[in-house]
């Protein structure tokens, strides 16, 4: 099965991608993993990407696409894959469609993890990070009564990107970039939405249920 996973920040994409890929016995391919592998491996594309990142610039689409092309052409991705974090916009989606067509392949399904904005804010703005061991706690889900880490006793703090105003800005950016992408895949007839609220195991069950009709 060839599928793309989309959803807002805080929807649990990373966690669900891991479970779903494992259940389907296909590789989970994220742009973050691809970037790290290329940079640490010293590939030509990795050096090029690093030159942009070192300057604080965004890595151009064509470099990202070239990395994705290389990864999808590897042996383990020939019978299927789960893409997480790519495509991020309609131009990237069109490139992916053309790339797969060139190889005589198509996407089977795009799984959209659906979570409303207030739930995303609740999940992300409630996170606290330990200043000593780096462990993440949640003021609500972990029933925290103080601002100390239960594991090492370190002081807990709220990261800037977990503050409510930052989370809401990230959601605005996501809507601007990804709403057209969701519409694109809906028009292609391969978009399926899954309610991503509730326990992780329940979301995975819903996702696998949604994928069942597409499993070869």
């Amino acid at each position: 099965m060839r599928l793309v996973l989309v959803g807002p920040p805080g929807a649990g994409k990373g966690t669900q991608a891991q479970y779903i890929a494992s259940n389907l016995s296909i590789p989970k391919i994220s742009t973050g993993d691809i970037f790290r592998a290329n940079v640490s491996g010293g590939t030509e594309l990795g050096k090029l990407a690093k030159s942009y990142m070192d300057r604080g610039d965004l890595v151009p689409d064509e470099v990202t696409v070239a990395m994705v092309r290389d990864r999808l052409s590897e042996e383990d991705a020939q019978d299927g894959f789960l893409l997480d974090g790519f495509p991020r916009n309609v131009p990237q989606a069109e490139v992916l469609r053309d790339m797969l067509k060139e190889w005589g392949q198509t996407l089977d399904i795009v799984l959209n993890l659906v979570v409303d904005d207030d739930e995303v804010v609740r999940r992300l703005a409630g996170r606290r990070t330990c200043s000593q061991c780096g462990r993440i706690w949640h003021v609500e889900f972990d029933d925290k009564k103080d601002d100390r880490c239960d594991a090492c006793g370190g002081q807990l703090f709220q990261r800037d990107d977990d503050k409510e105003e930052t989370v809401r800005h990230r959601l605005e950016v996501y809507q601007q970039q990804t709403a057209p992408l969701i519409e694109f895949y809906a028009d292609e007839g391969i978009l399926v939405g899954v309610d991503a609220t509730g326990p992780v195991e329940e979301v995975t069950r819903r996702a696998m249920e949604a994928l069942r009709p597409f499993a070869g």
Side-chain angles (χ1 to χ4, degrees):
M1 182 184 290
R2 297 176 183 88
L3 71 126
V4 167
L5 193 64
V6 297
K13 288 191 301 299
T15 301
Q16 291 305 325
Q18 199 70 50
Y19 282 121
I20 294 167
S22 177
N23 273 318
L24 296 174
S25 300
I26 55 176
K28 176 188 81 71
I29 299 172
S30 76
T31 45
D33 293 342
I34 295 173
F35 270 67
R36 281 188 289 275
N38 276 272
V39 171
S40 65
T43 68
E44 289 306 310
L45 285 170
K47 291 174 187 172
L48 187 56
K50 191 172 186 299
S51 71
Y52 285 98
M53 292 187 288
D54 286 348
R55 293 197 301 267
D57 294 334
L58 288 174
V59 178
D61 268 7
E62 56 265 28
V63 178
T64 304
V65 166
M67 286 185 181
V68 171
R69 174 183 278 274
D70 281 357
R71 181 64 185 88
L72 292 183
S73 65
E74 291 181 18
E75 185 64 33
D76 68 335
Q78 297 315 295
D79 293 328
F81 53 77
L82 184 154
L83 275 172
D84 171 24
F86 183 92
R88 286 193 180 277
N89 51 46
V90 171
Q92 287 185 357
E94 291 171 338
V95 169
L96 177 62
R97 180 182 59 191
D98 294 345
M99 187 192 304
L100 293 175
K101 185 178 180 181
E102 183 187 319
W103 296 337
Q105 301 172 355
T106 57
L107 279 180
D108 294 304
I109 184 172
V110 175
L111 202 62
N112 180 26
L113 298 182
V114 181
V115 189
D116 68 44
D117 287 1
D118 287 341
E119 175 64 16
V120 168
V121 171
R122 176 171 165 254
R123 290 181 183 185
L124 298 186
R127 297 198 302 196
R128 299 293 183 272
T129 303
C130 177
S131 56
Q132 284 186 204
C133 71
R135 180 164 174 174
I136 294 173
W137 300 88
H138 198 282
V139 294
E140 185 178 344
F141 305 149
D142 290 312
D143 194 26
K144 290 296 296 169
K145 303 297 186 192
D146 55 28
D147 58 358
R148 291 285 172 181
C149 175
D150 292 355
C152 74
Q155 181 75 38
L156 300 183
F157 70 99
Q158 186 181 36
R159 294 186 341 190
D160 287 344
D161 58 351
D162 285 339
K163 291 179 178 174
E164 180 170 346
E165 59 271 26
T166 308
V167 173
R168 290 201 181 275
H169 176 68
R170 289 168 64 194
L171 285 168
E172 286 173 14
V173 171
Y174 174 80
Q175 286 302 328
Q176 290 163 6
Q177 291 184 348
T178 311
L181 180 64
I182 289 171
E183 189 177 327
F184 173 86
Y185 282 125
D187 289 345
E188 295 261 302
I190 56 173
L191 182 76
V192 175
V194 171
D195 179 6
T197 55
V200 169
E201 299 79 6
E202 179 61 23
V203 177
T204 306
R205 187 195 65 74
R206 290 182 205 132
M208 295 308 299
E209 192 69 31
L211 292 171
R212 190 163 288 119
F214 300 87

